[in-house]
Amino acid sequence: MKQPYLRASLTKHETYLHRCLELARQAAGHVAPNPLVGAVLVHQDRIIGEGFHRQYGGPHAEVNCIDSVQEADRPLIPQSTLYVSLEPCAHHGKTPPCADLIVRHRIPEVIIGCRDPFVEVDGKGIDKLHAAGIKTTVGVLEKEATELNKRFFTFHKYHRPYIILKWAQTANGRIANEDYSRLHISNELTNRLVHKWRSEEAAILVGTNTALFDDPQLNTRLWTGPDPIRLVVDMDLRLPSSLKIFDKKVRTIVFNTIRHEEQGNLQYYQVTKDVSLVHQIANALYQQKILSVLVEGGTRLLQSFIDEGYWDETRIITNEELFIDGGIAAPVLRAGSLLEQLKLETDTIEIVKKTE
């Protein structure tokens, strides 16, 4: 019989798990498709080592944590407790199993935020620790640890990316002018925040009209962070090659009904009109291990994600001082719970979570 997993919510454990989560967040946008993970090594209430997974393909949090221990403190490792926000891996990927590393260093106790849903891990890391006689506690700050890796969990649980819908609207609920002429809705502070959001997601998606009339760069020029993979819907391949999204500076995927090929950083992904486009996009991103997508399209594209239930979070920016005559109505969100609301000068930003 397998040893039952211990569960605890001790204040001391929570303190060090909070630090693990703080460390892990520093790598947002840099580790996908891997999860964000932080680790802290503690000896008699003193942190002697800490680390986080910094870059995809690089050392994991546990490795960086143990490597950070000063030479004078290394004899203390077998007498210390390791805190880690996510279950240590148990398989050989781009790096060796972290569970084996913990066993090799004879660390006697490990406190874990939550289990890893990835099929190659999912309890196997914990079982390895148990088999080595290591005391293992699972589920400290489990809700917070799961929320930190909501993209990773959604990807492995539902076999699709974590989907965030975003739009800016006027005070009277308009997303664009009727003739698609440029309409500046959000202010400069909000624009910087949007670019921060972009840096945190693996990909960004727009529709044909947005690409054609706005000619967006879809990058993070207003924020320090990685540019997302650019995705555009162009069913009939009518967008001109002169658009900024076709500059090949960033990997770009064009969803269309005509061809399926790659040209360096530019990929044409063929879809069919007989099946839900939203479903095909979500499936394509899953197959290509793209964990999250920020949808910044127009009303038609955004509404299709809403109507088909393909969304996890919506971020709505409303300029409370801007009204326009006519215009294109913003999407209609019929369900969801308000997670957060903030005010940036003229803009009110609402973050809504999908309710099951």
Side-chain angles (χ1 to χ4, degrees), residues 8-236:
S9 185
L10 303 178
T11 301
K12 180 176 72 171
H13 288 344
E14 290 180 345
T15 298
Y16 293 124
L17 251 301
H18 269 299
R19 178 56 181 161
C20 290
L21 298 176
E22 287 176 354
L23 290 165
R25 288 189 189 99
Q26 295 182 46
H30 294 277
V31 299
N34 284 352
L36 296 164
V37 185
V40 173
L41 192 63
V42 180
H43 179 263
Q44 295 182 356
D45 289 331
R46 179 171 70 91
I47 294 177
I48 64 171
E50 59 180 28
F52 60 97
H53 183 33
R54 294 175 175 270
Q55 189 76 38
Y56 174 67
H60 286 188
E62 297 91 330
V63 176
N64 288 330
C65 175
I66 292 172
D67 285 350
S68 76
V69 178
Q70 298 295 312
E71 196 61 38
D73 288 332
R74 296 197 73 81
L76 302 178
I77 293 176
Q79 305 164 36
S80 302
T81 299
L82 178 67
Y83 292 82
V84 60
S85 57
L86 186 70
E87 175 183 2
C89 63
H91 67 297
H92 285 271
K94 287 186 175 291
T95 60
C98 290
D100 291 352
L101 176 73
I102 296 167
V103 172
R104 189 164 67 250
H105 281 276
R106 295 180 289 117
I107 296 172
E109 184 175 10
V110 178
I111 312 297
I112 299 169
C114 61
R115 280 178 58 149
D116 187 330
F118 180 41
V119 66
E120 295 293 334
V121 184
D122 198 12
K124 297 181 179 68
I126 296 169
D127 290 341
K128 273 194 174 186
L129 301 181
H130 283 159
I134 296 172
K135 182 181 179 183
T136 308
T137 302
V138 183
V140 179
L141 295 187
E142 185 171 25
K143 181 179 179 181
E144 293 88 340
T146 302
E147 174 66 19
L148 173 70
N149 279 305
K150 57 191 176 184
R151 297 158 182 81
F152 185 76
F153 275 69
T154 297
F155 185 83
H156 289 286
K157 183 177 180 180
Y158 299 112
H159 294 175
R160 65 165 177 81
Y162 189 86
I163 300 170
I164 301 171
L165 310 181
K166 170 262 169 184
W167 69 83
Q169 61 186 21
T170 64
N172 60 331
R174 297 295 182 264
I175 197 173
N177 288 315
E178 287 183 3
D179 61 358
Y180 292 100
S181 59
R182 190 75 184 210
L183 176 63
H184 296 282
I185 297 178
S186 51
N187 61 51
E188 291 184 8
L189 281 177
T190 303
N191 290 339
R192 287 182 61 82
L193 176 60
V194 169
H195 282 230
K196 177 179 183 291
W197 291 346
R198 289 178 178 180
S199 75
E200 295 169 346
E201 308 311 327
I204 181 170
L205 171 68
V206 296
T208 308
N209 286 335
T210 299
L212 182 62
F213 294 105
D214 289 353
D215 194 13
Q217 297 180 59
L218 303 182
N219 60 18
T220 57
R221 62 193 179 279
L222 302 181
W223 192 263
T224 301
D227 290 328
I229 297 169
R230 298 179 297 198
L231 314 173
V232 60
V233 176
D234 184 14
M235 299 295 273
D236 301 318

Side-chain angles (χ1 to χ4, degrees), residues 254-267:
V254 183
F255 293 100
N256 71 97
T257 60
I258 298 171
R259 58 176 165 167
H260 195 88
E261 61 179 299
E262 289 190 35
Q263 299 175 359
N265 255 359
L266 184 59
Q267 177 183 356

